[in-house]
């Protein structure tokens, strides 16, 4: 009877034979569902936008680092340019804004403490706050990578610049170390 017939694998619409042209060329139809295709497109777009973020802020970070290395100053114009580029990119990349805000407030507080008591430059504090709010993801793994790469690169720069003669009054430009750590987080 037609009513008692069970549905077999060959009766499904997706299992019907392909056209002779497709079967002979070895090209199979895509078995992706619309939701899966949408997810793949979304992940591709996110990767593309992430690459755009990296390559749009990279020239600013390089210029900022070179300027800080030469003059021991981070110009506000470069920080504004970095903020503008990063802000435009954040419209396309999903952030947990609450966590990003809390991270940047924490960085601001710690940076101000380091500014007043440890001699950290205010340009470095502003750069860290901008990166914490707009660029660096607010998760533990990203922060660990950032702090590790930042510490190692700042230490290497200090040792090379001082030629292993330790002086207390030696000023270290931190923008290069901050920039290297930021790129490492974005790539990792």
């Amino acid at each position: 009877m037609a009513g008692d017939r069970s549905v077999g694998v060959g009766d499904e619409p997706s299992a019907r034979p392909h056209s002779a042209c497709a079967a002979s060329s070895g090209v199979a139809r895509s078995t992706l569902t619309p939701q899966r295709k949408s997810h793949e497109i979304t992940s591709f777009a996110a990767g593309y936008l992430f690459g755009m973020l990296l390559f749009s802020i990279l020239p600013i970070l390089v210029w900022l680092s070179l300027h800080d290395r030469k003059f021991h100053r981070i110009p506000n114009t470069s920080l504004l340019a970095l903020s503008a580029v990063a802000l435009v990119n954040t419209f396309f990349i999903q952030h947990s804004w609450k966590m990003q805000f809390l991270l940047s407030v924490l960085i601001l507080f710690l940076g101000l403490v380091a500014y007043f008591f440890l001699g950290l430059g205010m340009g470095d504090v502003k750069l860290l706050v901008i990166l914490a709010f707009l660029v660096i993801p607010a998760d533990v793994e990203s922060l660990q990578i950032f702090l590790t790469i930042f510490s190692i690169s700042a230490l290497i720069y200090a040792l090379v610049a001082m030629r292993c003669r330790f002086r207390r009054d030696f000023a270290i430009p931190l923008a290069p170390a901050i920039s290297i750590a930021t790129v490492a987080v974005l790539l990792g």
Side-chain angles (χ1 to χ4, degrees), residues 115-131:
Y115 171 73
F116 286 114
F117 298 110
L118 301 175
L120 183 68
M122 187 51 79
D124 297 323
V125 173
K126 292 184 282 188
L127 177 61
L128 286 169
V129 169
I130 290 168
L131 292 174

Side-chain angles (χ1 to χ4, degrees), residues 89-173:
N89 282 310
T90 57
F91 289 117
F92 301 108
I93 297 174
Q94 294 179 356
H95 279 297
S96 169
W97 289 107
K98 182 179 178 182
M99 290 303 295
Q100 293 297 124
F101 179 74
L102 291 175
L103 175 65
S104 61
V105 168
L106 176 66
I107 296 293
L108 178 62
F109 174 74
L110 294 175
L112 288 174
V113 168
Y115 171 73
F116 286 114
F117 298 110
L118 301 175
L120 183 68
M122 187 51 79
D124 297 323
V125 173
K126 292 184 282 188
L127 177 61
L128 286 169
V129 169
I130 290 168
L131 292 174
F133 187 62
L134 298 174
V135 178
I136 300 171
D139 59 11
V140 175
E141 182 182 349
S142 296
L143 294 176
Q144 286 175 338
I145 292 170
F146 181 84
L147 290 174
T148 302
I149 301 295
F150 168 71
S151 301
I152 291 170
S153 57
L155 179 64
I156 289 172
Y157 181 82
L159 290 175
V160 168
M162 291 191 320
R163 295 173 188 77
C164 296
R165 293 185 306 252
F166 296 103
R167 296 188 327 247
R168 189 173 193 134
D169 62 341
F170 186 74
I172 302 171

Side-chain angles (χ1 to χ4, degrees), residues 164-187:
C164 296
R165 293 185 306 252
F166 296 103
R167 296 188 327 247
R168 189 173 193 134
D169 62 341
F170 186 74
I172 302 171
L174 292 178
I178 293 169
S179 298
I180 291 169
T182 301
V183 170
V185 166
L186 293 177
L187 291 176

Side-chain angles (χ1 to χ4, degrees), residues 22-92:
S24 66
S25 67
V27 177
R29 287 190 302 174
S30 175
T31 58
L32 297 177
T33 63
Q35 292 84 9
R36 187 160 175 163
K37 283 182 184 178
S38 172
H39 175 70
E40 285 185 0
I41 291 170
T42 304
S43 63
F44 172 76
Y48 177 76
L49 292 172
F50 177 74
M52 291 294 293
L53 169 66
L54 178 63
F55 290 113
S56 61
I57 68 168
L58 192 60
I60 299 170
L61 289 175
V62 168
W63 183 79
L64 216 140
S65 298
L66 293 174
H67 194 274
D68 188 32
R69 187 173 178 271
K70 186 173 182 179
F71 300 109
H72 290 279
R73 299 276 183 259
I74 299 176
N76 287 336
T77 54
S78 63
L79 293 174
L80 285 173
L82 180 66
S83 298
V85 169
L87 190 60
V88 166
N89 282 310
T90 57
F91 289 117
F92 301 108

